[in-house]
Structure formats: C-alpha cells, structure tokens
Amino acid sequence: MRAHLERDFERFRAGLPADLAAHVREAYRIDLAARYLGFSIPHPIGKGSGQLSLNQEQLENDRAAGLAYVVLKTVIAEDAAGSRAMEAWAVHETRMKVETVRSASGLEGWTVTWKGRGWDRSFEDYLELVRAAGDLTRSGAMLVVPSAKYHLPGNDERFREGEYHHTTERLARAWGGELLALEKDFSPTLAADSLASERDRIIRWLREVPSLIRGAAGAVPVRVALKLMNARHGESFQLDMVEAAASADALVCFNRLWSAERGVAYGGYDLSDRNLRALAGVKTAGIGRPPLSGTGNVSSGRMILEYAKLGCESVQLHTFFQLPLSEYPATAGSRTQRALHTLVFHPESGLIAGLLDLEQSGRLHRRDGELRFLDVTTLGDEADVTRR
Ligand SMILES: Cc1cc2nc3c(=O)[nH]c(=O)nc-3n(C[C@H](O)[C@H](O)[C@H](O)COP(=O)(O)O)c2cc1C
C-alpha cells in the first residue's frame, strides 16, 4: 500500500481522479466519509468562510476539484428596513498578503494578512449566491452553506430580533429545501472589539443565539453551526465557550488569533497549537458538546488527523488554499486541486499515510476490511470514560 501511495502521489501531480473518495476506498480500502453540520460528506476537507467563497465561479471550481463542502463568505445581517447593527463589519478590502509566520514553538507556517471583514456587497447579491449554494447542495454536487454575523448585544441590551428574523427567513427561502444549514460567525474581528472583552457577554451570546436563529426562520428548521473565536482571555475560557455553546448543532473551532500589535488576525502553528490544546482540554474534561469541525492551520493530512483525534468530523481550510503555486507538489490544476493532492496523497504527511500509520501502530482497526476516517474521531473515548 505504501508503494501504491508513492505511485498515486506521483501520477496525481498532473490531476486528481474524478471521484477522489471512491478511488481511495477502492485502492486502499479506506473510507474517508466525514460529517459537517449533520450532513454526510465524502471526505473531511472543506473550505472555511472567507475571500475564497464569494462567487459562483469559485464554487464551480471547488466542485470540479472535488472539495467536500464550502462555507460562503459571512454576510452581515440586516432587518427589513436594511439596517445592520454590525454595519462596521461590511468593509471593502481586496488586498490580501500571503506570508510566512513563525510560531512561538519555532515552526514556520503561513498566514494571510488582510484588513477586510464581512460581505461588502448587497444582501440581494448574497441571496443570489445562496440560491446557487442551495442548488449545488440539493443536486448532491457539493454541500455549500451560508454564514452570517447577526447583532450581538451589550449586557443590558436586547437582541435585535428584527435582524434575526429578516435575515434568517430570506436565507432559508434562498437556500430552498426543507431546512436551512447556517454557520454563525462570532469572529475573528470580534476579538478586536471592546464588545468581546466581557466574558459574561460572550457566554450569553453563545447560550442564546442558536435558539434565536432557529426561532427566526418561520416554519423552516435550521441547523446552526457556531464558529467560535479565539477570545482574548486565557485558554480555559475556550472551554467555557464550548460548554456554553452546547445547544448548537455543530461547533467550528476556532477562528484566527488576534495580534493587538499589528491590528490583524493571523494563523500558522500558534493557531493550531492553541486550538488543539483547547480541544484536548474539552476532551479531557469530558465537556458535553455538539459535533465539531476543526479550523486553523490545516496544512497536511496529519494535521487533519490531529483535529480528528480530538473529535473533529471535518475540517475547514482557508490559508492552505492560497499558497504560492510553488508550495504545492502538484504541477497542474486549481489551488484547491493541488491542495487536495498533497493533503490526501502525500506519502509522509498525507491523510492516507497517517491513517495507515494509525493502523500499523494498532490504534485504528479495519471494520469489514476498511479503515474509517470517522473512527479516528472516537479513538480513546473508552479510555477517557474510565479515567473520568
Ligand atoms: C482573508 C480571510 C478572510 C476570512 N473571512 C472570514 C469570514 O468572513 N467569516 C468567517 O467565519 N471566517 C473567515 N475567515 C476565517 C477562515 O474561514 C478560517 O477559519 C481561518 O482562517 C483559519 O483557517 P486557516 O488557518 O486554514 O486559514 C477568514 C480568513 C481569512 C484568511
């Protein structure tokens, strides 16, 4: 199998097989099936909300590349009169700088420096994109879900429910179908905002927002994923946030770090180190939580497995889809295709290699002859239960 992997890695430099997951299943007896927000997806690799999911052309390229799912850029919620409490987040900024960043642990990774925030075009334009997202999802071509940032009140303030109703209803109608799947973005910009400085306030938002959104879509059921920020508090607060968000349908953990010095969000290994520490804390403490999706410096198949071992049933990448072309071993295809090639097939750092290693070390076992990615997300759970 290792020799087969070396050969696949070489021959797929020029292009991936049309059905990536089917090939992996057939050639390696590995089932990469994963989950996001209750949806079954063919493998765990998706795209996080941001500048790479702004239009239909990007969606079409990602579908053709074989990506498992995409979260659309975050739209800023508005009420029926078009007023937006989070107006300041609708900033227009096109310049992005992809640069290397060294972590406190001395590892060199990549980060994207960018001063923009949310969707900066009209809500109507966003709804058009959401219609395309719904069509792609229903046709089975690729799961694509919208993302929104709604009003978040101060301590003695009420939620502006008008925003919640108007925005959620319109998103539900545009996405179509029997339910709405939606990501609610709490970050990263909030990390820089004085509103986000109070722990009680954040905890209240996390407790109340899922039911507010669910109650806002009329008769349409809503599945809500909360994308949690890296708050400017100690690491134990990350655990408090997970605990407070128990009523969500999924959690995306955790958005980028904030550099007060430079006034920008950033990633790299500081981000994955911190996220993995927090998720390990959640697991060790046995905190009840919704299904998880990992985000932050996912730059190899092995990093996908680090998130999976702590319970993440899928991952969402942004930065790794933006590297200079010379950083990908593939020689052809879109950045999404080139990223998938190395994430899945790299003979040392890829997902298949990592799963075969887990099998070889006796931690992961074949069932009905197959290794299953999702089995990684429950590794060691029995041991944890006995320890508690
Ligand atoms: C340029 C840029 C724009 C982003 N915009 C959003 C956004 O609008 N909403 C959101 O929830 N996350 C946003 N993110 C966060 C990413 O979706 C992702 O969770 C984060 O960057 C960590 O993953 P990465 O290390 O692979 O980049 C953005 C990230 C970048 C780099």
Side-chain angles (χ1 to χ4, degrees), residues 48-50 73-74 114 185 227 255-256 295-297 317-319:
S49 172
K73 177 68 188 170
T74 301
W114 178 67
D185 174 24
K227 184 161 181 181
N255 212 328
R256 301 204 295 167
T295 193
N297 192 37
L317 292 63
H318 199 292
T319 301

Side-chain angles (χ1 to χ4, degrees), residues 1-2 5 24 28-33 43-44 301-302 304-305 308-309 343-344 346-366 370-377 379:
M1 274 204 190
R2 302 281 177 171
L5 186 54
V24 172
Y28 304 91
R29 311 285 323 269
I30 291 178
D31 180 0
L32 291 180
H43 62 78
R302 294 208 180 256
I304 297 174
L305 291 172
K309 284 181 210 162
L343 291 169
V344 175
H346 194 286
E348 277 102 43
S349 65
L351 190 53
I352 297 171
L355 287 164
L356 292 175
D357 283 355
L358 282 173
E359 179 186 29
Q360 218 168 1
S361 64
R363 293 196 63 197
L364 188 67
H365 303 283
R366 286 181 187 268
E370 284 191 337
L371 285 179
R372 293 165 204 226
F373 168 76
L374 280 175
D375 283 353
V376 178
T377 66
L379 277 184

Side-chain angles (χ1 to χ4, degrees), residues 258-272:
W258 180 255
S259 165
E261 205 179 300
R262 297 184 62 202
V264 290
Y266 69 101
Y269 283 90
D270 280 338
L271 176 60
S272 49

Side-chain angles (χ1 to χ4, degrees), residues 10-88:
E10 288 307 320
R11 74 186 169 121
F12 294 150
R13 277 179 198 264
L16 290 172
D19 189 336
L20 183 77
H23 172 81
V24 172
R25 196 159 186 182
E26 203 178 295
Y28 304 91
R29 311 285 323 269
I30 291 178
D31 180 0
L32 291 180
R35 266 192 301 267
Y36 170 66
L37 202 39
F39 293 90
S40 290
I41 45 179
H43 62 78
I45 305 165
K47 179 177 272 185
S49 172
Q51 301 323 95
L52 310 177
S53 49
L54 293 169
N55 57 52
Q56 294 192 34
E57 194 186 329
Q58 288 169 326
L59 295 182
E60 179 46 35
N61 284 338
D62 287 341
R63 185 208 58 75
L67 206 60
Y69 70 107
V70 172
V71 184
L72 297 181
K73 177 68 188 170
T74 301
V75 73
I76 309 306
E78 61 184 53
D79 64 17
S83 142
R84 303 184 286 195
M86 310 297 257
E87 174 89 29

Side-chain angles (χ1 to χ4, degrees), residues 294-317:
T295 193
N297 192 37
V298 174
S299 43
S300 69
R302 294 208 180 256
M303 186 65 89
I304 297 174
L305 291 172
E306 290 307 308
Y307 276 100
K309 284 181 210 162
L310 298 171
C312 295
E313 298 178 337
S314 62
V315 287
Q316 303 189 0
L317 292 63

Side-chain angles (χ1 to χ4, degrees), residues 87-359:
E87 174 89 29
W89 271 255
V91 168
H92 178 71
E93 173 64 63
T94 50
R95 259 169 46 97
M96 286 187 276
K97 196 168 173 209
V98 181
E99 45 193 358
T100 54
V101 61
R102 189 174 289 279
S103 69
S105 59
L107 291 174
E108 187 135 299
W110 290 90
T111 190
V112 181
T113 304
W114 178 67
K115 299 220 169 176
R117 294 172 171 180
W119 177 264
D120 60 6
R121 285 178 272 148
S122 72
F123 189 38
E124 292 304 325
D125 282 355
Y126 192 76
L127 293 173
E128 203 174 309
L129 188 60
V130 174
R131 273 177 216 113
D135 288 345
L136 280 166
T137 302
R138 267 187 306 282
S139 72
M142 184 173 67
L143 171 66
V144 188
V145 310
S147 161
K149 191 188 277 289
Y150 298 83
H151 172 240
L152 295 169
N155 276 345
D156 306 321
E157 219 184 328
R158 293 165 62 92
F159 283 92
R160 290 196 196 171
E161 294 194 21
E163 264 193 14
Y164 281 77
H165 278 283
H166 181 72
T167 300
T168 316
E169 252 174 25
R170 304 256 358 236
L171 289 175
R173 239 183 292 149
W175 206 60
E178 284 147 19
L179 58 82
L180 170 67
L182 178 65
E183 213 173 88
K184 158 74 182 108
D185 174 24
F186 276 93
S187 55
T189 44
L190 272 174
D193 191 88
S194 57
L195 257 185
S197 62
E198 254 191 57
R199 295 168 193 236
D200 292 352
R201 217 178 286 186
I202 298 173
I203 296 296
R204 173 187 170 207
W205 297 338
L206 295 171
R207 288 212 179 108
E208 296 185 23
V209 159
S211 60
L212 262 173
I213 295 177
R214 286 192 197 108
V220 182
V222 192
R223 284 190 204 161
V224 187
L226 298 188
K227 184 161 181 181
L228 301 183
M229 65 184 133
N230 264 298
R232 287 181 303 171
H233 296 295
E235 290 190 12
S236 68
F237 187 65
Q238 297 301 117
L239 276 60
D240 296 342
M241 288 200 297
V242 169
E243 196 162 24
S247 70
D249 297 296
L251 300 182
V252 185
C253 298
F254 299 95
N255 212 328
R256 301 204 295 167
L257 298 165
W258 180 255
S259 165
E261 205 179 300
R262 297 184 62 202
V264 290
Y266 69 101
Y269 283 90
D270 280 338
L271 176 60
S272 49
D273 285 350
R274 179 168 155 128
N275 286 357
L276 293 170
R277 272 197 309 272
L279 291 174
V282 169
K283 185 164 173 157
T284 310
I287 293 170
R289 44 109 188 126
L292 300 176
S293 180
T295 193
N297 192 37
V298 174
S299 43
S300 69
R302 294 208 180 256
M303 186 65 89
I304 297 174
L305 291 172
E306 290 307 308
Y307 276 100
K309 284 181 210 162
L310 298 171
C312 295
E313 298 178 337
S314 62
V315 287
Q316 303 189 0
L317 292 63
H318 199 292
T319 301
F320 197 65
F321 294 131
Q322 292 185 277
L323 303 190
L325 283 183
S326 57
E327 291 298 311
Y328 304 104
T331 51
S334 64
R335 277 189 170 73
T336 306
Q337 275 173 313
R338 292 176 198 227
L340 285 173
H341 166 253
T342 187
L343 291 169
V344 175
F345 291 104
H346 194 286
E348 277 102 43
S349 65
L351 190 53
I352 297 171
L355 287 164
L356 292 175
D357 283 355
L358 282 173
E359 179 186 29

